[in-house]
């Protein structure tokens, strides 16, 4: 008996992943995998390797108050440290018609 799936999308592509570990002034350790892909309008997939939490992030998300803190379960100081690092890594979103 064959499984039948109702695919909405099925796409394979080569991606680039940057693995970064750093410790902020709060002494919180960040272990991140930052994946660049042609999907998600140029935003990056940012995975916290300790928690397994992934978010699709662009500069607009970094500017949203409390977003990183809520998404990655961080306190305000840790969230600002992550935000400060990601501002150098995450580019602007590119929307097309």
């Amino acid at each position: 008996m064959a499984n039948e799936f109702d695919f909405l999308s099925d796409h394979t592509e080569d991606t680039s992943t940057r693995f970064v570990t750093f410790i902020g002034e709060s002494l919180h350790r960040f272990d991140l995998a930052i994946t660049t892909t042609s999907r998600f309008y140029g935003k990056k997939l940012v995975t916290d390797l300790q928690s397994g939490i992934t978010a699709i992030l662009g500069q607009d998300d970094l500017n949203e108050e409390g977003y990183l803190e809520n998404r990655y379960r961080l306190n305000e100081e840790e969230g600002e440290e992550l935000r400060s690092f990601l501002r150098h890594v995450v580019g602007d979103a590119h929307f097309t018609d």
Side-chain angles (χ1 to χ4, degrees):
M1 181 167 130
N3 289 330
E4 292 189 30
F5 298 98
D6 188 11
F7 288 101
L8 298 178
S9 178
D10 185 0
H11 178 83
T12 302
E13 71 172 89
D14 291 326
T15 61
S16 171
T17 302
R18 176 181 175 187
F19 295 93
V20 178
T21 298
F22 70 93
I23 297 175
E25 288 184 25
S26 69
L27 300 181
H28 181 88
R29 178 179 167 151
F30 294 91
D31 293 299
L32 306 174
I34 304 160
T35 302
T36 302
T37 173
S38 65
R39 307 202 36 102
F40 311 120
Y41 305 102
K43 293 185 176 190
K44 309 273 189 200
L45 274 140
V46 179
T47 302
D48 175 346
L49 296 172
Q50 292 183 34
S51 67
I53 296 171
T54 300
I56 301 167
L57 299 175
Q59 290 293 335
D60 57 330
D61 302 300
L62 300 181
N63 294 332
E64 187 175 327
E65 187 175 334
Y67 182 77
L68 293 179
E69 293 82 352
N70 183 51
R71 183 72 185 123
Y72 291 103
R73 302 179 192 141
L74 302 170
N75 66 36
E76 189 174 324
E77 183 180 13
E78 295 163 347
E80 191 51 43
E81 290 170 350
L82 180 58
R83 184 174 290 104
S84 178
F85 170 74
L86 289 176
R87 286 195 192 286
H88 300 286
V89 175
V90 174
D92 292 324
H94 304 286
F95 297 100
T96 58
D97 292 347

